[in-house]
Amino acid sequence: MKKLLVYLRPYRLQAILAPCFKLLEAAFELLVPLIMADIIDVGISSGDTAYILKKCLVLAGLGLCGFASATCAQYFSAKAATGATGRLRHALFAHIQSLSYAELDRLGTATLVTRMTSDMNQVQTGLNLTLRLLLRSPIVVFGAMIMAFTIDTKSALIFAVAIPALFAVVFAIMLSCIPLYRRVQTRLDGVTGAAQENLSGVRVIRAFTREQTETASFEEKTASLFSAQQFVGRLSALLNPLTYVIINLAIVAILRVGGVRVNEGAITQGQLIALYNYMSQILVELIKFANLILNITKSAACAGRISQVLDTKSSMADGAGTLPDGAGAPELEFRHVSFRYPQAGADALTDISLCAAPGETIGVIGGTGSGKSSLVNLIPRYYDATQGKILIDGKNVKNYTKKELQRQVAMVLQKAVLFQGSIAENLKWGKRDATEAEMQQAAEIAQAADVVRVKGGLNGQISQAGKNLSGGQRQRLTIARAIMKHAPILILDDSASALDMATDANLRKAIRRMPDHPTVFIVSQRTNAIMDADQILVLDDGKLVGKGKHDELLKTCEIYREIFESQYKKGVE
């Protein structure tokens, strides 16, 4: 929690003014029982109507001043809380964007979504309540006890016994609830993950008629969350009854002792009423304080979860190297590269060595799970090689800045991802200041000109995740977006799988004719997509088992020949 307070610094003034105005309101409130005692002891006992009216006006004035103070406190605390959590949310989002794939895989999407939304909202609520009530409630409680001692020491001793007992109950329950709230938020992660997985995979679930199974699994997770919430709810629900019992016992004791003191003439009836009112104030404030403690407990648990993400450091250190603008396609080399995914039992790639000359087209083929995507993911440092080196123009990719690598590499992933908005807005992810002519040219190279035309031009709208497009249309637009980047290295990771052979062939021809001649990596399951490549890499179980041109591999690589013959009749080349 302390680490997160740094985001409150720009709102220091509001964070100071909010509790100050609340303390001012508390001071006005503490004066009310004394004025009521004067009304009873002086005004009512003597029948002085003018005195009573005068004191009533004073009470009204205190009420208005207290209302104004409370309004100001509410305004400043809300501004500080929303501003600080807004900065924290931006910082968390930026930090998540800086993490490598390894950390994102380990943390998981579900927990990150929960921490960005539910946890962040709880922190904001807790901070708002803390600024308003954390000082006010204790001040009113201890202020009421001090005021009681100014009235009658013997009667006030009851306050001195009741207040420590109340705080003991509050803090005992608070300390018990903190770990339980963490457990609740963890189970909420599970529910969020299950909901996200089911919503994104709803078509697959229906295709395999797994609705009942998935519903039962989701109900199991929600039942686990419910039981955790119910347990901590029952524990926290003890707070109000226990505080009521202690306060009411204290009130009975005050009335008993105070009544005796009134009969003895040690205190007046008005002073006894004042003591009763002070105890009532303590009851109200402790109820507020109890709710505050519960919210702080939840917020502390949520803040701890947010802090865990912020404390997660990327396993990839940023380099400092750059390449000059306009340097053209670089030379790319793998030297004895091996790679293993975090917490995996075996290497995904083993001892890969290859060299891609500037402007070459490299085809990558192999069976499912052979490591094709893993290989190309190492080039832009989505993951770091476990062993060996990857060199761009003779320099290890780890020595380049992440921005430089992003500038050097344009990658089209296996899953075509588009964002809600216009076609132009999606294409400008590749180049922010792109002209309409540049976007049209990229669309033509990617064989997406007809998609742009059908959707009403570059201003045609794309729904979330491109749901209003077919698979082939999405793939062509994502390729056009990558081409817009004009990067020296272009990676197509099985990104044309939904295209027919003619469109795929036209796409490859158009890419070869690009004026900037990038180094192109084409990952594909189809041999016809890579037959014309300058160099073909054949992977099997993470090992490079073949390297060369098409005709050469048909003679020297059995796995490549098997893949080719499974797609074409034997003997056809």
Side-chain angles (χ1 to χ4, degrees):
M1 191 74 172
K2 292 179 181 178
K3 295 178 182 178
L4 306 185
L5 292 179
V6 66
Y7 299 98
L8 192 61
R9 284 180 183 173
Y11 303 93
R12 287 188 297 264
L13 180 61
Q14 291 87 345
I16 292 171
L17 289 176
C20 286
F21 276 106
K22 270 297 180 181
L23 293 180
L24 189 60
E25 180 200 2
F28 293 139
E29 188 173 334
L30 289 172
L31 294 175
V32 171
L34 294 179
I35 296 173
M36 288 298 300
D38 286 343
I39 291 175
I40 295 170
D41 292 337
V42 179
I44 295 177
S45 63
S46 63
D48 189 344
T49 304
Y51 184 85
I52 295 173
L53 291 175
K54 179 182 176 181
K55 290 296 182 179
C56 287
L57 290 174
V58 173
L59 288 176
L62 289 175
L64 289 174
C65 291
F67 174 76
S69 298
T71 303
C72 292
Q74 185 82 5
Y75 169 77
F76 288 122
S77 63
K79 187 171 183 179
T82 54
T85 50
R87 294 181 72 243
L88 176 59
R89 187 179 283 108
H90 288 135
L92 180 61
F93 184 80
H95 182 72
I96 291 172
Q97 294 296 319
S98 72
L99 296 176
S100 69
Y101 278 23
E103 282 75 39
L104 293 176
D105 291 344
R106 179 172 59 82
L107 290 170
T109 303
T111 186
L112 292 176
V113 170
T114 303
R115 296 181 202 209
M116 282 286 295
T117 53
S118 175
D119 288 355
M120 198 68 70
N121 291 337
Q122 186 58 55
V123 168
Q124 179 175 318
T125 301
L127 183 57
N128 191 353
L129 290 174
T130 298
L131 292 174
R132 288 193 288 117
L133 298 177
L134 186 62
L135 290 180
R136 184 191 190 280
S137 293
I139 289 297
V140 170
V141 170
F142 289 106
M145 184 175 69
I146 293 170
M147 298 299 286
F149 272 101
T150 63
I151 294 173
D152 182 49
T153 304
K154 187 174 180 180
S155 300
L157 290 174
I158 299 169
F159 287 76
V161 173
I163 290 174
L166 288 166
F167 275 98
V169 169
V170 168
F171 282 101
I173 292 178
M174 180 188 74
L175 294 174
S176 301
C177 288
I178 287 178
L180 297 176
Y181 279 121
R182 289 200 185 101
R183 188 186 304 171
V184 166
Q185 292 301 114
T186 300
R187 295 186 181 181
L188 179 60
D189 288 344
V191 172
T192 304
Q196 183 182 26
E197 190 176 55
N198 278 270
L199 290 173
S200 60
V202 63
R203 295 182 182 181
V204 177
I205 292 170
R206 291 177 180 176
F208 287 89
T209 61
R210 297 275 296 180
E211 294 94 336
Q212 291 184 349
T213 304
E214 292 301 314
T215 300
S217 175
F218 185 77
E219 287 178 350
E220 182 180 347
K221 288 182 173 65
T222 53
S224 176
L225 174 62
F226 173 74
S227 64
Q229 288 175 324
Q230 189 177 52
F231 181 75
V232 70
R234 286 173 176 170
L235 183 60
S236 61
L238 293 173
L239 199 55
N240 281 355
L242 290 176
T243 52
Y244 269 105
V245 167
I246 295 171
I247 287 290
N248 286 323
L249 289 175
I251 288 174
V252 170
I254 282 175
L255 293 177
R256 174 72 178 83
V257 174
V260 173
R261 299 285 285 170
V262 169
N263 286 333
E264 294 174 351
I267 60 174
T268 64
Q269 291 180 351
Q271 289 173 326
L272 176 59
I273 296 298
L275 289 171
Y276 173 81
N277 286 336
Y278 279 128
M279 187 58 75
S280 298
Q281 283 182 348
I282 290 175
L283 173 61
V284 172
E285 289 305 319
L286 279 172
I287 292 171
K288 293 180 183 178
F289 193 67
N291 292 326
L292 171 65
I293 290 299
L294 291 177
N295 272 283
I296 289 178
T297 302
K298 293 178 185 178
S299 300
C302 294
R305 286 160 49 82
I306 294 171
S307 185
Q308 284 177 353
V309 178
L310 291 174
D311 289 340
T312 301
K313 304 299 181 184
S314 177
S315 57
M316 296 183 181
D318 205 5
T322 59
L323 284 171
D325 291 334
E331 182 181 64
L332 179 66
E333 183 181 0
F334 278 59
R335 288 185 185 173
H336 303 290
V337 171
S338 296
F339 170 67
R340 178 178 297 189
Y341 286 100
Q343 300 178 347
D347 287 346
L349 296 171
T350 305
D351 196 24
I352 304 293
S353 294
L354 63 96
C355 185
E360 273 192 339
T361 297
I362 310 297
V364 184
I365 196 168
T368 302
S370 59
K372 302 185 297 297
S373 295
S374 300
L375 178 74
V376 293
N377 279 335
L378 296 178
I379 298 172
R381 282 193 78 194
Y382 291 157
Y383 296 94
D384 267 341
T386 309
Q387 295 178 356
K389 296 179 181 179
I390 302 168
L391 309 174
I392 293 180
D393 272 354
K395 185 184 290 187
N396 195 321
V397 292
K398 296 180 180 180
N399 295 331
Y400 289 103
T401 65
K402 292 179 181 178
K403 286 187 177 180
E404 178 66 12
L405 274 177
Q406 291 167 4
R407 187 175 71 86
Q408 293 291 316
V409 181
M411 188 165 185
V412 186
L413 302 173
Q414 284 180 311
K415 183 178 180 181
V417 178
L418 294 169
F419 297 90
Q420 187 171 7
S422 67
I423 293 175
E425 288 171 344
N426 275 271
L427 294 183
K428 284 183 178 180
W429 278 61
K431 185 180 179 183
R432 294 181 182 179
D433 58 349
T435 63
E436 184 174 335
E438 288 177 317
M439 288 186 281
Q440 290 286 3
Q441 183 183 23
E444 289 174 5
I445 293 173
Q447 311 302 303
D450 61 325
V451 181
V452 175
R453 184 175 60 255
V454 168
K455 291 299 176 182
L458 293 170
N459 292 323
Q461 294 299 303
I462 297 175
S463 64
Q464 186 178 18
K467 295 297 185 183
N468 60 335
L469 299 173
S470 69
Q473 289 175 329
R474 284 198 297 270
Q475 284 190 338
R476 283 179 281 171
L477 285 178
T478 54
I479 294 170
R481 181 176 61 194
I483 291 171
M484 284 292 305
K485 196 173 180 181
H486 298 291
I489 300 173
L490 175 63
I491 300 173
L492 305 178
D493 184 7
D494 205 14
S495 55
S497 57
L499 305 185
D500 60 81
M501 290 189 179
T503 304
D504 187 13
N506 291 333
L507 169 66
R508 286 182 277 112
K509 288 178 183 177
I511 290 175
R512 282 197 299 271
R513 293 172 185 160
M514 288 172 61
D516 44 358
H517 300 294
T519 300
V520 181
F521 280 78
I522 300 176
V523 177
S524 181
Q525 299 280 5
R526 303 189 308 208
T527 53
N528 73 299
I530 59 171
M531 289 169 64
D532 298 327
D534 298 305
Q535 189 177 168
I536 299 173
L537 309 176
V538 185
L539 295 177
D540 181 50
D541 196 23
K543 298 180 178 66
L544 185 60
V545 296
K547 181 168 60 174
K549 289 183 176 290
H550 171 70
D551 293 336
E552 178 185 351
L553 289 171
L554 284 177
K555 299 174 183 177
T556 60
C557 183
E558 182 180 352
I559 292 177
Y560 183 79
R561 186 169 59 252
E562 288 176 355
I563 295 173
F564 177 77
E565 291 177 352
S566 69
Q567 297 173 4
Y568 297 90
K569 290 182 180 180
K570 189 173 182 180
V572 177
E573 296 184 7

